[in-house]
Short mmCIF file of all heavy atoms in Angstrom, two decimals:
data_model
loop_
_atom_site.label_atom_id
_atom_site.label_comp_id
_atom_site.label_asym_id
_atom_site.label_seq_id
_atom_site.Cartn_x
_atom_site.Cartn_y
_atom_site.Cartn_z
N TYR S 35 2.80 25.72 10.23
CA TYR S 35 1.96 24.86 9.41
C TYR S 35 2.74 23.61 8.98
O TYR S 35 3.89 23.72 8.55
CB TYR S 35 1.51 25.63 8.16
CG TYR S 35 0.70 24.83 7.18
CD1 TYR S 35 -0.65 24.56 7.42
CD2 TYR S 35 1.28 24.36 6.01
CE1 TYR S 35 -1.38 23.84 6.50
CE2 TYR S 35 0.54 23.63 5.09
CZ TYR S 35 -0.79 23.38 5.35
OH TYR S 35 -1.53 22.66 4.45
N VAL S 36 2.12 22.43 9.10
CA VAL S 36 2.74 21.17 8.73
C VAL S 36 1.75 20.32 7.95
O VAL S 36 0.57 20.24 8.31
CB VAL S 36 3.20 20.38 9.99
CG1 VAL S 36 3.74 19.01 9.62
CG2 VAL S 36 4.24 21.16 10.77
N MET S 37 2.24 19.71 6.88
CA MET S 37 1.46 18.71 6.13
C MET S 37 2.04 17.34 6.46
O MET S 37 3.26 17.14 6.35
CB MET S 37 1.55 18.96 4.63
CG MET S 37 0.92 20.26 4.20
SD MET S 37 1.20 20.64 2.45
CE MET S 37 0.17 19.42 1.68
N GLN S 38 1.19 16.42 6.87
CA GLN S 38 1.61 15.08 7.26
C GLN S 38 0.98 14.08 6.29
O GLN S 38 -0.23 14.04 6.13
CB GLN S 38 1.14 14.78 8.68
CG GLN S 38 1.39 13.37 9.14
CD GLN S 38 0.72 13.10 10.49
OE1 GLN S 38 -0.29 13.72 10.83
NE2 GLN S 38 1.29 12.20 11.24
N TYR S 39 1.82 13.29 5.65
CA TYR S 39 1.35 12.22 4.77
C TYR S 39 1.72 10.88 5.40
O TYR S 39 2.86 10.70 5.84
CB TYR S 39 2.04 12.29 3.40
CG TYR S 39 1.60 13.42 2.53
CD1 TYR S 39 2.25 14.65 2.58
CD2 TYR S 39 0.56 13.28 1.63
CE1 TYR S 39 1.86 15.70 1.76
CE2 TYR S 39 0.15 14.32 0.81
CZ TYR S 39 0.82 15.53 0.88
OH TYR S 39 0.44 16.56 0.08
N TYR S 40 0.77 9.95 5.47
CA TYR S 40 1.11 8.61 5.92
C TYR S 40 0.35 7.58 5.09
O TYR S 40 -0.77 7.82 4.64
CB TYR S 40 0.89 8.42 7.42
CG TYR S 40 -0.53 8.55 7.90
CD1 TYR S 40 -1.35 7.44 8.00
CD2 TYR S 40 -1.02 9.79 8.29
CE1 TYR S 40 -2.66 7.57 8.45
CE2 TYR S 40 -2.32 9.93 8.74
CZ TYR S 40 -3.13 8.81 8.82
OH TYR S 40 -4.42 8.94 9.26
N LYS S 41 1.02 6.47 4.90
CA LYS S 41 0.48 5.40 4.04
C LYS S 41 -0.57 4.61 4.80
O LYS S 41 -0.32 4.12 5.90
CB LYS S 41 1.61 4.48 3.60
CG LYS S 41 1.19 3.47 2.56
CD LYS S 41 2.32 2.52 2.19
CE LYS S 41 3.36 3.23 1.37
NZ LYS S 41 4.39 2.30 0.84
N ILE S 42 -1.76 4.50 4.22
CA ILE S 42 -2.80 3.69 4.84
C ILE S 42 -2.86 2.30 4.20
O ILE S 42 -3.31 1.36 4.82
CB ILE S 42 -4.17 4.39 4.82
CG1 ILE S 42 -4.57 4.82 3.42
CG2 ILE S 42 -4.17 5.58 5.76
CD1 ILE S 42 -5.94 5.45 3.32
N GLU S 43 -2.41 2.20 2.95
CA GLU S 43 -2.23 0.93 2.25
C GLU S 43 -1.46 1.22 0.97
O GLU S 43 -1.23 2.38 0.64
CB GLU S 43 -3.55 0.22 1.96
CG GLU S 43 -4.50 1.00 1.08
CD GLU S 43 -5.83 0.29 0.88
OE1 GLU S 43 -6.53 0.05 1.87
OE2 GLU S 43 -6.13 -0.02 -0.28
N GLU S 44 -1.06 0.20 0.28
CA GLU S 44 -0.25 0.38 -0.94
C GLU S 44 -0.92 1.37 -1.90
O GLU S 44 -2.08 1.23 -2.24
CB GLU S 44 -0.06 -0.97 -1.63
CG GLU S 44 0.93 -0.95 -2.76
CD GLU S 44 2.36 -0.70 -2.31
OE1 GLU S 44 2.68 -1.06 -1.16
OE2 GLU S 44 3.14 -0.17 -3.09
N HIS S 45 -0.19 2.41 -2.27
CA HIS S 45 -0.64 3.46 -3.20
C HIS S 45 -1.78 4.32 -2.67
O HIS S 45 -2.43 5.03 -3.44
CB HIS S 45 -1.03 2.87 -4.56
CG HIS S 45 0.06 2.09 -5.20
ND1 HIS S 45 1.22 2.66 -5.66
CD2 HIS S 45 0.18 0.77 -5.45
CE1 HIS S 45 2.00 1.73 -6.17
NE2 HIS S 45 1.40 0.57 -6.05
N HIS S 46 -2.04 4.26 -1.37
CA HIS S 46 -3.07 5.10 -0.75
C HIS S 46 -2.47 5.82 0.45
O HIS S 46 -2.01 5.18 1.39
CB HIS S 46 -4.28 4.27 -0.31
CG HIS S 46 -5.06 3.73 -1.45
ND1 HIS S 46 -4.82 2.49 -1.99
CD2 HIS S 46 -6.06 4.27 -2.16
CE1 HIS S 46 -5.65 2.28 -3.00
NE2 HIS S 46 -6.42 3.35 -3.12
N TRP S 47 -2.50 7.14 0.38
CA TRP S 47 -1.91 7.98 1.41
C TRP S 47 -2.97 8.90 2.01
O TRP S 47 -3.90 9.32 1.33
CB TRP S 47 -0.79 8.84 0.82
CG TRP S 47 0.41 8.06 0.44
CD1 TRP S 47 0.58 7.29 -0.68
CD2 TRP S 47 1.61 7.92 1.19
NE1 TRP S 47 1.81 6.71 -0.68
CE2 TRP S 47 2.47 7.08 0.45
CE3 TRP S 47 2.05 8.44 2.41
CZ2 TRP S 47 3.75 6.75 0.91
CZ3 TRP S 47 3.32 8.12 2.85
CH2 TRP S 47 4.14 7.28 2.11
N MET S 48 -2.82 9.19 3.28
CA MET S 48 -3.71 10.12 3.99
C MET S 48 -2.94 11.41 4.23
O MET S 48 -1.77 11.38 4.63
CB MET S 48 -4.13 9.52 5.33
CG MET S 48 -5.00 10.43 6.17
SD MET S 48 -6.62 10.75 5.49
CE MET S 48 -7.38 9.17 5.69
N LEU S 49 -3.58 12.54 3.97
CA LEU S 49 -3.01 13.85 4.25
C LEU S 49 -3.73 14.46 5.45
O LEU S 49 -4.96 14.51 5.49
CB LEU S 49 -3.18 14.78 3.04
CG LEU S 49 -2.95 16.27 3.29
CD1 LEU S 49 -1.51 16.55 3.71
CD2 LEU S 49 -3.34 17.08 2.06
N THR S 50 -2.94 14.93 6.41
CA THR S 50 -3.46 15.68 7.54
C THR S 50 -2.69 16.99 7.61
O THR S 50 -1.47 16.99 7.48
CB THR S 50 -3.29 14.90 8.86
OG1 THR S 50 -3.90 13.62 8.74
CG2 THR S 50 -3.91 15.66 10.03
N GLU S 51 -3.40 18.09 7.79
CA GLU S 51 -2.77 19.39 7.89
C GLU S 51 -2.90 19.91 9.31
O GLU S 51 -3.96 19.78 9.93
CB GLU S 51 -3.43 20.37 6.92
CG GLU S 51 -3.26 19.94 5.47
CD GLU S 51 -4.04 20.82 4.52
OE1 GLU S 51 -5.28 20.68 4.51
OE2 GLU S 51 -3.41 21.65 3.84
N TRP S 52 -1.81 20.48 9.82
CA TRP S 52 -1.77 21.02 11.17
C TRP S 52 -1.39 22.49 11.07
O TRP S 52 -0.45 22.85 10.36
CB TRP S 52 -0.72 20.28 12.01
CG TRP S 52 -0.90 18.80 12.01
CD1 TRP S 52 -0.29 17.90 11.18
CD2 TRP S 52 -1.75 18.03 12.84
NE1 TRP S 52 -0.71 16.63 11.46
CE2 TRP S 52 -1.62 16.67 12.49
CE3 TRP S 52 -2.63 18.36 13.86
CZ2 TRP S 52 -2.31 15.67 13.12
CZ3 TRP S 52 -3.32 17.33 14.49
CH2 TRP S 52 -3.15 16.01 14.12
N GLU S 53 -2.11 23.36 11.80
CA GLU S 53 -1.83 24.79 11.73
C GLU S 53 -2.01 25.43 13.09
O GLU S 53 -2.96 25.11 13.82
CB GLU S 53 -2.75 25.46 10.71
CG GLU S 53 -2.42 26.89 10.45
CD GLU S 53 -3.16 27.44 9.25
OE1 GLU S 53 -4.16 26.85 8.80
OE2 GLU S 53 -2.72 28.49 8.75
N GLY S 54 -1.10 26.33 13.44
CA GLY S 54 -1.18 27.06 14.70
C GLY S 54 -0.40 26.38 15.81
O GLY S 54 -0.25 25.16 15.84
N GLU S 55 0.11 27.19 16.72
CA GLU S 55 0.96 26.69 17.80
C GLU S 55 0.28 25.67 18.70
O GLU S 55 0.94 24.80 19.27
CB GLU S 55 1.48 27.85 18.64
CG GLU S 55 2.48 28.71 17.91
CD GLU S 55 3.06 29.78 18.81
OE1 GLU S 55 2.87 29.73 20.04
OE2 GLU S 55 3.72 30.68 18.26
N ALA S 56 -1.03 25.75 18.85
CA ALA S 56 -1.74 24.85 19.75
C ALA S 56 -2.02 23.48 19.13
O ALA S 56 -2.37 22.54 19.84
CB ALA S 56 -3.06 25.48 20.19
N ALA S 57 -1.86 23.35 17.81
CA ALA S 57 -2.14 22.08 17.14
C ALA S 57 -1.19 21.01 17.65
O ALA S 57 -0.01 21.23 17.85
CB ALA S 57 -1.99 22.23 15.63
N GLY S 58 -1.73 19.81 17.86
CA GLY S 58 -0.94 18.69 18.37
C GLY S 58 -0.63 17.70 17.26
O GLY S 58 -1.52 16.99 16.79
N LEU S 59 0.60 17.65 16.85
CA LEU S 59 1.06 16.75 15.79
C LEU S 59 1.36 15.38 16.38
O LEU S 59 2.09 15.27 17.36
CB LEU S 59 2.32 17.34 15.14
CG LEU S 59 3.06 16.48 14.13
CD1 LEU S 59 2.19 16.20 12.92
CD2 LEU S 59 4.34 17.15 13.72
N ARG S 60 0.79 14.33 15.79
CA ARG S 60 1.02 12.96 16.25
C ARG S 60 1.42 12.12 15.06
O ARG S 60 0.69 12.06 14.05
CB ARG S 60 -0.25 12.40 16.89
CG ARG S 60 0.00 11.09 17.58
CD ARG S 60 -1.24 10.66 18.38
NE ARG S 60 -1.43 9.26 18.12
CZ ARG S 60 -2.39 8.72 17.39
NH1 ARG S 60 -3.31 9.49 16.86
NH2 ARG S 60 -2.47 7.44 17.19
N LEU S 61 2.57 11.47 15.15
CA LEU S 61 3.02 10.60 14.07
C LEU S 61 2.28 9.27 14.12
O LEU S 61 1.90 8.78 15.19
CB LEU S 61 4.53 10.36 14.16
CG LEU S 61 5.40 11.60 14.04
CD1 LEU S 61 6.87 11.21 14.06
CD2 LEU S 61 5.09 12.39 12.78
N GLN S 62 2.08 8.67 12.96
CA GLN S 62 1.37 7.41 12.84
C GLN S 62 2.33 6.21 12.84
O GLN S 62 1.98 5.14 13.30
CB GLN S 62 0.54 7.37 11.55
CG GLN S 62 -0.48 8.47 11.45
CD GLN S 62 -1.56 8.34 12.50
OE1 GLN S 62 -2.07 7.25 12.73
NE2 GLN S 62 -1.90 9.44 13.15
N SER S 63 3.54 6.42 12.32
CA SER S 63 4.47 5.30 12.14
C SER S 63 5.28 4.97 13.39
O SER S 63 5.81 3.87 13.51
CB SER S 63 5.41 5.60 10.97
OG SER S 63 6.13 6.79 11.20
N VAL S 64 5.41 5.93 14.30
CA VAL S 64 6.12 5.73 15.57
C VAL S 64 5.34 6.44 16.67
O VAL S 64 4.55 7.33 16.40
CB VAL S 64 7.57 6.25 15.53
CG1 VAL S 64 8.42 5.47 14.56
CG2 VAL S 64 7.62 7.72 15.21
N ASP S 65 5.60 6.07 17.90
CA ASP S 65 4.92 6.69 19.04
C ASP S 65 5.60 8.01 19.36
O ASP S 65 6.60 8.05 20.08
CB ASP S 65 4.98 5.74 20.23
CG ASP S 65 4.19 6.26 21.42
OD1 ASP S 65 3.30 7.10 21.22
OD2 ASP S 65 4.48 5.83 22.55
N PHE S 66 5.08 9.11 18.76
CA PHE S 66 5.68 10.43 18.95
C PHE S 66 4.60 11.48 18.78
O PHE S 66 3.82 11.42 17.85
CB PHE S 66 6.81 10.65 17.93
CG PHE S 66 7.52 11.95 18.12
CD1 PHE S 66 8.49 12.10 19.08
CD2 PHE S 66 7.20 13.03 17.31
CE1 PHE S 66 9.15 13.30 19.26
CE2 PHE S 66 7.86 14.24 17.47
CZ PHE S 66 8.83 14.38 18.44
N GLU S 67 4.61 12.45 19.69
CA GLU S 67 3.62 13.53 19.65
C GLU S 67 4.24 14.81 20.21
O GLU S 67 5.01 14.76 21.16
CB GLU S 67 2.41 13.12 20.49
CG GLU S 67 1.25 14.04 20.39
CD GLU S 67 0.01 13.48 21.09
OE1 GLU S 67 -0.05 12.26 21.33
OE2 GLU S 67 -0.88 14.28 21.39
N LEU S 68 3.93 15.94 19.59
CA LEU S 68 4.33 17.24 20.10
C LEU S 68 3.44 18.31 19.50
O LEU S 68 2.77 18.08 18.49
CB LEU S 68 5.80 17.55 19.83
CG LEU S 68 6.20 18.09 18.46
CD1 LEU S 68 7.57 18.74 18.59
CD2 LEU S 68 6.27 17.00 17.44
N SER S 69 3.44 19.48 20.11
CA SER S 69 2.64 20.58 19.58
C SER S 69 3.46 21.32 18.54
O SER S 69 4.70 21.28 18.55
CB SER S 69 2.23 21.53 20.71
OG SER S 69 3.36 22.27 21.15
N LEU S 70 2.79 22.02 17.65
CA LEU S 70 3.52 22.83 16.68
C LEU S 70 4.26 23.96 17.39
O LEU S 70 5.32 24.40 16.92
CB LEU S 70 2.57 23.39 15.62
CG LEU S 70 2.49 22.54 14.35
CD1 LEU S 70 2.02 21.14 14.61
CD2 LEU S 70 1.67 23.21 13.30
N GLY S 71 3.76 24.41 18.52
CA GLY S 71 4.48 25.40 19.31
C GLY S 71 5.85 24.88 19.73
O GLY S 71 6.84 25.61 19.69
N GLU S 72 5.92 23.61 20.12
CA GLU S 72 7.20 23.00 20.48
C GLU S 72 8.09 22.85 19.24
O GLU S 72 9.30 23.10 19.30
CB GLU S 72 6.99 21.63 21.11
CG GLU S 72 6.32 21.68 22.46
CD GLU S 72 5.96 20.30 22.96
OE1 GLU S 72 5.13 19.62 22.31
OE2 GLU S 72 6.53 19.90 23.99
N LEU S 73 7.50 22.42 18.14
CA LEU S 73 8.25 22.22 16.90
C LEU S 73 8.89 23.52 16.43
O LEU S 73 10.05 23.54 16.00
CB LEU S 73 7.33 21.67 15.81
CG LEU S 73 7.94 21.46 14.44
CD1 LEU S 73 8.99 20.36 14.48
CD2 LEU S 73 6.85 21.11 13.43
N TYR S 74 8.15 24.62 16.53
CA TYR S 74 8.62 25.92 16.05
C TYR S 74 9.25 26.77 17.15
O TYR S 74 9.47 27.96 16.96
CB TYR S 74 7.48 26.68 15.40
CG TYR S 74 7.11 26.20 14.02
CD1 TYR S 74 6.06 25.30 13.83
CD2 TYR S 74 7.79 26.66 12.90
CE1 TYR S 74 5.71 24.88 12.55
CE2 TYR S 74 7.45 26.25 11.63
CZ TYR S 74 6.41 25.35 11.46
OH TYR S 74 6.06 24.93 10.20
#
Side-chain angles (χ1 to χ4, degrees):
Y35 177 78
V36 175
M37 294 173 71
Q38 174 188 28
Y39 289 90
Y40 63 93
K41 188 183 288 188
I42 54 177
E43 61 183 61
E44 189 67 27
H45 303 293
H46 291 92
W47 290 79
M48 177 67 70
L49 165 63
T50 304
E51 297 173 287
W52 306 94
E53 187 168 18
E55 291 185 12
L59 173 64
R60 190 172 135 251
L61 299 183
Q62 301 295 315
S63 58
V64 295
D65 185 22
F66 183 80
E67 188 172 341
L68 82 161
S69 72
L70 265 59
E72 293 172 296
L73 178 66
Y74 284 96

